[in-house]
Amino acid sequence: MSKIIAFLLFSVVFFGCQKVSNTTVEVTDLSLIPIPEKLELRKGNFAIQNGTVVYCNSTELLPVAGYMNTKLSAAMGFNLKTIEGSGKGINLVILENKDKNLGDEGYQLDVTPAGVELIANKANGIFYGVQTIMQLLPAKIKSKTLQSDVKWNIPCIAIEDKPRFPWRGLMLDVSRHYFTKEEVKEYIDQLAEYKMNVFHWHLTDDQGWRIEIKSLPKLTEKGAWRAERVGDWWQREPQLEGESTSYGGFYSHKDIKEVVQYAKERFVEIVPEIDVPGHSLATIAAYPEISCTHTVTDINVGNKFYTVDENSICVGNEQTFDYLDKIFTEIAELFPSEYIHVGGDECYKGFWSECPKCQKRISNEALKNTDELQSYFIKRMEKMLQAKNKKLIGWDEILEGGLAPNATVMSWRGMKNGIKAANEGHKVIMTPTQHCYLDLYQGEESVEPATYSMCRLMDSYRFEPVPEGIDPNLILGGQGNLWSESVPTFRHAEYMTWPRGWALAEVFWSSKENKNWSNFVQRVEKHFVRADYGKINYAQSMYNAIVTPFTDGDESFKIKLETEIEDLSIFYTFDNTDPDLYSPQYKTALTVPKDATRLRIMTYQNEKPIGKLISLTIDELKKRINK
Ligand code: TNX
């Protein structure tokens, strides 16, 4: 009962003191992510039953109704009949007289015991309303097998909702590790359920070229395959002479068209990235003639190579631009997106400094240095894309040496470069590492798969994409980025993406005022249950303790323990036994007993163990102080 009261209170506080009537609905049924703009809970339910009809007032909505039926029918065990028109049941309605307030993606949902009415200006809004309906249904709806013991009730509710930002993205790097077409579709499906609308597809990098280019077949014949390795990234043994290149894969034109169509049905725009002029080792391996030294190399397997092996294409060579024109012609034809991402990040320019053709370009174009050579390259790429009716996006390094006139900047090295670009009047997508990098640790690193640096769920949730003093219209939105150096499987991609991706979905969709960390965490816990039914992996790192060793003023060594979320208790031992509810409970910074060798930590929620057992040697802890 207290949960219900808590939610009602929450509704009043966070939805502008609206009238909220008493209800029998459990909070479990009302755990919407992202949180809607306005919500009013009412008495009663609408029950979806065998025979419930979905009415569409426009043919445009038939695919949305079809999508909804596919999502619901497996668990429900029956199909929802779809009829054009209107009637008693679930009505999907595109407004003839547009409601300015709802914009292109907003919707209004009205659920009464008699029926459901979902209205919007466009099919996009209806699609997002359908996501809300699905999240209002019991968690078992996520199951792909029949759940016969469930009443498919939707609580009576009135919702008015629209996104804060037009760009709500996730990026997946399919170069460092390859993900199949089916996995990519699954990723798109998952992000769309949280009302995200951009899938940035990082298709090329030093460890693999993943898209068929018919006019340059070696890009995939050679560039898509490398020797198989499983060891730690950057510590791997390079490909050996004569070793088979059995690891990899690529997407054919047919595959790409299929994925683009799949994304379109989910109102997701795919922004393809071909990363140039750096991160191009796979390109060079396929066509050494467009590198500065023409050295023949193997595809990088995750061994150290930067500055030693060439991975920037030669910008002095005209042939480079002929090849790029071929590549981007096919890319522009395959992807309907108005944007193409050309990378531009971390370009090593050492080989350009030694290359006669690059030097000649520098003098012919009266450029000052290799930074300006990169800027020359990006400006030329912008013209190339414009001729194909596309707009250029690049990582924030494209600012170096001068920004191309109409470029959109993806700010990743913090927000500063995004701010700089916005101050020059450019559009910006904010993806700063400290909030948006889904490849980073999401909790105590000794109990996580190896990666580097930290981005907790809380760090993602507290992200504010619009810096003070910047015109908010120039900030298109933001994006979570999943780089896949240490992501060898799709299950692990899910683990790294959720729940941080849910936090970002709320940052990009919901209004600032409606965000609330502790309420979000409660909803996340409900979504864990939903993900379990959907067999979707996620991380529970938010339950692990935060361990911070420090030296006090008098130089004595102490350890602070905290939790990322509320209502957890921490128990610990120094005596080499596993802690439980009866071990010492953490209250204040710990002083390490003189001869202790190891600290063990366990968190509890409602007296039940949760999270992972953390076990750290005192030496490890000491080392962390100076890090
Ligand atoms: C930087 S972000 C990169 C990627 C790496 C990533 C690892 C960016 C534009 N470049 O190539 O995969 O860090 O976190």
Side-chain angles (χ1 to χ4, degrees):
M1 189 61 195
S2 61
K3 275 182 177 176
I4 299 171
I5 293 168
F7 185 79
L8 294 182
L9 270 176
F10 167 77
S11 309
V12 172
V13 173
F14 288 96
F15 298 103
C17 287
Q18 297 173 47
K19 204 179 108 253
V20 180
S21 34
N22 203 356
T23 173
T24 54
V25 174
E26 290 275 341
V27 67
T28 6
D29 299 331
L30 271 183
S31 50
L32 299 170
I33 298 178
I35 197 87
E37 190 169 45
K38 284 184 203 153
L39 171 154
E40 189 186 328
L41 197 57
R42 296 168 177 158
K43 244 194 199 131
N45 299 302
F46 172 77
I48 300 187
Q49 285 162 338
N50 198 350
T52 299
V53 177
V54 180
Y55 292 95
C56 299
N57 82 331
S58 149
T59 48
E60 215 190 314
L61 292 176
L62 295 175
V64 182
Y67 162 92
M68 180 170 160
N69 182 50
T70 315
K71 285 279 176 185
L72 304 185
S73 55
M76 287 181 174
F78 53 82
N79 283 304
L80 297 171
K81 210 169 154 191
T82 304
I83 295 180
E84 261 191 87
S86 66
K88 201 167 167 287
I90 301 174
N91 277 283
L92 309 184
V93 180
I94 293 192
L95 291 169
E96 251 179 60
N97 299 319
K98 303 293 172 220
D99 179 339
K100 255 199 178 158
N101 184 44
L102 290 180
D104 283 351
E105 296 184 295
Y107 66 93
Q108 253 175 35
L109 177 67
D110 205 342
V111 183
T112 67
V116 174
E117 178 141 297
L118 175 57
I119 64 173
N121 290 331
K122 288 184 145 197
N124 309 50
I126 299 292
F127 182 79
Y128 296 126
V130 165
Q131 300 311 330
T132 300
I133 291 175
M134 296 198 308
Q135 289 193 11
L136 288 169
L137 281 161
K140 284 186 178 172
I141 197 64
K142 289 288 294 169
S143 172
K144 295 198 177 76
T145 57
L146 177 64
Q147 305 292 304
S148 47
D149 55 339
V150 188
K151 283 202 176 104
W152 302 111
N153 285 343
I154 308 174
C156 291
I157 206 164
I159 292 180
E160 212 179 289
D161 200 11
K162 65 169 184 294
R164 181 173 171 206
F165 294 104
W167 187 294
R168 306 179 300 279
L170 280 185
M171 186 214 80
L172 181 65
D173 165 9
V174 296
S175 171
R176 275 59 180 269
H177 283 98
Y178 173 64
F179 297 94
T180 65
K181 172 184 73 177
E182 272 68 35
E183 290 167 338
V184 170
K185 282 160 90 177
E186 179 61 30
Y187 202 70
I188 292 169
D189 190 55
Q190 291 179 15
L191 68 92
E193 287 195 359
Y194 289 89
K195 302 186 173 78
M196 290 188 155
N197 63 352
V198 175
F199 174 62
H200 170 171
W201 205 353
H202 184 77
L203 285 160
T204 71
D205 215 301
D206 302 311
Q207 289 81 14
W209 180 284
R210 305 278 176 229
I211 180 165
E212 177 190 28
I213 300 296
K214 290 197 170 163
S215 53
L216 294 168
K218 279 198 271 179
L219 285 171
T220 45
E221 278 165 23
K222 171 102 203 260
W225 304 97
R226 64 170 168 83
E228 186 136 23
R229 296 285 184 278
V230 291
D232 286 350
W233 197 263
W234 298 138
Q235 311 298 325
R236 296 175 168 182
E237 184 182 33
Q239 184 173 320
L240 305 172
E241 197 145 340
E243 195 179 356
S244 92
T245 51
S246 53
Y247 182 85
F250 65 92
Y251 315 101
S252 67
H253 278 204
K254 191 166 158 271
D255 294 336
I256 297 285
K257 285 178 191 151
E258 192 181 316
V259 178
V260 165
Q261 177 59 27
Y262 184 89
K264 191 172 164 227
E265 286 159 14
R266 283 153 184 76
F267 298 87
V268 171
E269 180 154 298
I270 300 187
V271 176
E273 179 185 349
I274 302 295
D275 201 348
V276 281
H279 284 273
S280 294
L281 193 141
T283 325
I284 290 172
Y287 292 102
E289 61 266 36
I290 60 165
S291 68
C292 293
T293 62
H294 297 195
T295 309
V296 179
T297 58
D298 295 320
I299 307 296
N300 183 270
V301 297
N303 53 289
K304 275 206 184 83
F305 76 96
Y306 202 66
T307 74
V308 178
D309 295 336
E310 208 180 338
N311 77 330
S312 308
I313 48 178
C314 176
V315 176
N317 185 351
E318 272 309 295
Q319 202 178 8
T320 300
F321 293 93
D322 295 343
Y323 283 30
L324 289 172
D325 194 63
K326 286 183 178 160
I327 292 167
F328 284 99
T329 298
E330 294 188 32
I331 297 288
E333 276 165 17
L334 284 169
F335 293 94
S337 160
E338 64 174 317
Y339 291 102
I340 291 179
H341 201 304
V342 300
D345 57 314
E346 300 175 318
C347 175
Y348 177 64
K349 303 176 183 97
F351 291 91
W352 291 356
S353 305
E354 310 293 318
C355 168
K357 285 186 183 153
C358 287
Q359 290 309 313
K360 194 160 170 230
R361 178 83 74 198
I362 287 178
S363 69
N364 284 357
E365 299 291 331
L367 307 170
K368 285 200 200 77
N369 48 35
T370 50
D371 271 355
E372 290 198 0
L373 185 59
Q374 152 129 345
S375 165
Y376 161 88
F377 173 82
I378 298 290
K379 285 176 184 151
R380 205 163 151 182
M381 289 311 297
E382 176 167 274
K383 283 198 190 116
M384 188 188 284
L385 293 189
Q386 270 164 359
K388 303 181 197 311
N389 255 324
K390 299 288 183 183
K391 295 182 184 157
L392 177 143
I393 298 188
W395 297 110
D396 59 42
E397 286 92 335
I398 65 171
L399 281 150
E400 290 158 16
L403 199 49
N406 298 302
T408 299
V409 172
M410 218 169 237
S411 187
W412 72 279
R413 296 173 299 174
M415 314 272 279
K416 58 181 187 305
N417 290 305
I419 293 171
K420 192 164 175 248
N423 281 333
E424 291 175 25
H426 289 262
K427 288 190 183 138
V428 173
I429 297 140
M430 289 292 189
T431 70
T433 46
Q434 67 270 33
H435 300 292
C436 296
Y437 267 41
L438 303 176
D439 58 323
L440 305 186
Y441 285 117
Q442 48 194 320
E444 165 54 36
E445 54 182 82
S446 63
V447 291
E448 294 286 340
T451 170
Y452 75 104
S453 202
M454 184 66 77
C455 172
R456 294 178 189 279
L457 178 61
M458 187 185 243
D459 297 323
S460 293
Y461 195 72
R462 65 164 184 235
F463 177 36
E464 171 45 45
V466 182
E468 248 174 69
I470 296 295
D471 175 2
N473 295 315
L474 290 172
I475 311 298
L476 295 181
Q479 188 176 283
N481 295 332
L482 183 55
W483 299 101
S484 65
E485 287 94 331
S486 303
V487 185
T489 65
F490 188 66
R491 283 291 287 175
H492 195 55
E494 291 179 328
Y495 176 90
M496 298 305 279
T497 305
W498 317 118
R500 287 180 295 187
W502 299 338
L504 293 175
E506 185 146 311
V507 168
F508 304 147
W509 178 280
S510 304
S511 66
K512 243 194 232 179
E513 298 70 37
N514 278 344
K515 276 175 64 193
N516 176 291
W517 169 244
S518 57
N519 179 270
F520 173 70
V521 171
Q522 284 176 38
R523 285 179 283 130
V524 164
E525 292 188 303
K526 307 299 181 248
H527 281 249
F528 285 167
V529 179
R530 302 182 81 85
D532 284 338
Y533 282 116
K535 298 194 165 68
I536 295 164
N537 201 11
Y538 54 86
Q540 300 189 51
S541 316
M542 67 178 196
Y543 293 121
N544 300 335
I546 303 175
V547 187
T548 318
F550 64 99
T551 44
D552 222 352
D554 62 359
E555 291 297 300
S556 72
F557 162 54
K558 288 198 171 156
I559 299 157
K560 186 163 105 188
L561 303 181
E562 295 163 279
T563 59
E564 192 175 341
I565 66 172
E566 290 165 17
D567 300 330
L568 298 186
S569 340
I570 310 175
F571 297 85
Y572 68 92
T573 62
F574 280 112
D575 63 3
N576 298 327
T577 62
D578 283 349
D580 68 8
L581 260 186
Y582 305 93
S583 305
Q585 183 172 356
Y586 179 85
K587 296 268 187 270
T588 178
L590 304 175
T591 308
V592 183
K594 220 165 92 196
D595 63 338
T597 53
R598 196 173 272 278
L599 169 64
R600 284 182 171 77
I601 308 156
M602 193 62 206
T603 42
Y604 279 71
Q605 188 184 47
N606 300 325
E607 308 208 330
K608 295 214 173 60
I610 200 155
K612 291 185 182 164
L613 172 69
I614 297 170
S615 175
L616 293 160
T617 64
I618 304 303
D619 285 346
E620 279 173 296
L621 286 163
K622 278 187 186 155
K623 271 191 216 141
R624 283 191 187 183
I625 294 180
N626 301 322
K627 257 193 179 177

